[in-house]
């Protein structure tokens, strides 16, 4: 018998993910930490406008350190809201960090003794930098540098904003409470590369805009988190439908014809 040659194409191993140099990770982490940390000045000014003392303002940045939740708290207080209601809204808004923590816990792999300290730095910016890295070493480095830079600058600029609020006059006229979210959106936008990511972000924006006028502070952000599973569910259904459509089924022969008939002719072996 003639030898049969195996013409199948051998499977190729997936190429290894590129390793990001430490210098590049530190550069990106410092950029995020400095850019967002400077917006602590806006929080200090806004908190002073809500009639919080310098001690209260600095304590929020030192102990809470959640950016948007802090703005939500002082914004509700400035609008005359009940302190308990304002705190509840800030709590719900900060609850998103718990979801970041679930993902970062597996990625960073810190020991149990370090996790409580690292948890204080689990915020939007540190999560974004850590999750963008290709390996654990780079993720830890990005998380640490971003968290340390942001924590120091945020607290220093919070103090500066609280001390200098009187020189600005009417703090509400400056619209500084929007500085922090605007900076984070500017950092997030370039990361939306796929259609699914853009659709999730767009739906989240729509949910926030629709529910903000009728929902308590903090709840619209939690509802916006539903955008991702909704988009992923719809994308999964679309992919399954496309797969079913593209997969050819068994042909149905017309009535009166043999289903095994072929268009080519076969020679009679006899």
């Amino acid at each position: 018998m003639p030898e049969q040659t195996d013409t199948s194409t051998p499977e190729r191993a997936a190429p290894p993910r590129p390793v990001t140099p430490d210098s590049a990770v530190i550069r990106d982490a410092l950029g995020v930490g400095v850019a967002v940390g400077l917006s602590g000045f806006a929080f200090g000014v806004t908190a002073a406008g809500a009639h919080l003392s310098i001690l209260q303002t600095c304590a929020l940045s030192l102990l809470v350190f959640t950016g948007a939740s802090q703005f939500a708290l002082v914004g509700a207080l400035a609008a005359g809201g009940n302190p308990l209601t304002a705190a509840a809204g800030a709590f719900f808004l900060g609850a998103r960090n718990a979801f970041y923590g679930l993902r970062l816990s597996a990625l960073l792999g810190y020991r149990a003794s370090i996790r409580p300290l690292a948890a204080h730095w689990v915020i939007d910016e540190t999560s974004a930098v850590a999750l963008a890295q290709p390996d654990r070493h780079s993720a830890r480095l990005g998380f640490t540098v971003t968290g340390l830079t942001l924590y120091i600058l945020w607290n220093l600029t919070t103090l500066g904003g609280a001390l200098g609020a009187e020189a600005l006059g009417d703090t509400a006229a400056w619209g500084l409470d929007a500085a922090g979210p605007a900076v984070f959106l500017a950092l997030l936008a370039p990361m939306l590369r796929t259609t699914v990511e853009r659709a999730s972000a767009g739906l989240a924006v729509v949910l926030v805009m629709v529910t903000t006028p009728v929902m308590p502070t903090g709840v619209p952000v939690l509802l916006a988190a539903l955008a991702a599973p909704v988009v992923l569910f719809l994308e999964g259904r679309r992919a399954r439908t496309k797969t079913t459509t593209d997969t050819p089924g068994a042909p149905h022969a017309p009535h009166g014809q043999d289903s095994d008939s072929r268009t080519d002719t076969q020679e009679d072996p006899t």
Side-chain angles (χ1 to χ4, degrees):
M1 293 179 63
E3 295 182 358
Q4 295 182 352
T5 305
D6 186 7
T7 59
S8 61
T9 304
E11 295 183 359
R12 296 181 179 179
R17 298 184 67 181
V19 178
T20 304
D22 289 353
S23 59
V25 178
I26 294 174
R27 180 195 61 222
D28 295 342
L30 286 174
V32 173
V34 171
V36 181
L38 293 176
S39 61
F41 179 81
F43 171 72
V45 173
T46 305
H51 307 293
L52 269 68
S53 68
I54 295 177
L55 180 59
Q56 290 171 327
T57 300
C58 292
L60 278 174
S61 286
L62 286 168
L63 302 177
V64 180
F65 188 56
T66 54
S69 299
Q70 295 177 230
F71 277 110
L73 175 63
V74 299
L77 293 176
N82 184 282
L84 294 178
T85 303
F91 172 80
F92 283 120
L93 185 57
R96 71 192 187 281
N97 294 335
F99 297 99
Y100 296 155
L102 293 175
R103 178 67 180 90
L104 291 177
S105 177
L107 175 64
L108 300 177
Y110 285 135
R111 298 191 304 270
S113 58
I114 299 179
R115 288 181 182 179
L117 299 176
H120 193 52
W121 286 356
V122 176
I123 54 176
D124 298 324
E125 293 78 16
T126 55
S127 301
V129 173
L131 293 173
Q133 307 309 320
D135 55 80
R136 173 167 290 181
H137 169 75
S138 298
R140 284 183 172 182
L141 181 61
F143 178 85
T144 302
V145 175
T146 305
L148 181 62
T149 306
L150 185 51
Y151 189 74
I152 293 175
L153 277 180
W154 179 266
N155 282 282
L156 289 177
T157 53
T158 293
L159 176 60
L163 293 173
E166 295 182 0
L168 294 176
D170 184 8
T171 57
W174 292 80
L176 295 175
D177 56 333
V183 171
F184 179 70
L185 288 177
L187 295 170
L188 179 65
M191 300 178 64
L192 304 177
R193 299 185 178 93
T194 67
T195 302
V196 172
E197 291 171 349
R198 296 190 185 100
S200 299
L203 179 58
V205 170
V206 172
L207 289 174
V208 170
M209 294 180 65
V210 170
T211 57
T212 295
V214 296
M215 292 288 184
T217 302
V219 175
V221 175
L222 295 179
L223 292 178
L226 298 175
V230 169
V231 171
L232 290 174
F233 172 76
L234 295 177
E235 175 65 15
R237 287 193 59 183
R238 187 193 68 81
R240 288 193 297 270
T241 302
K242 185 176 184 299
T243 301
T244 304
T245 304
D246 293 345
T247 302
H252 297 281
H255 180 69
Q257 294 185 8
D258 186 358
S259 61
D260 293 331
S261 61
R262 301 177 181 176
T263 56
D264 58 336
T265 58
Q266 297 183 353
E267 294 183 359
D268 190 349
T270 60

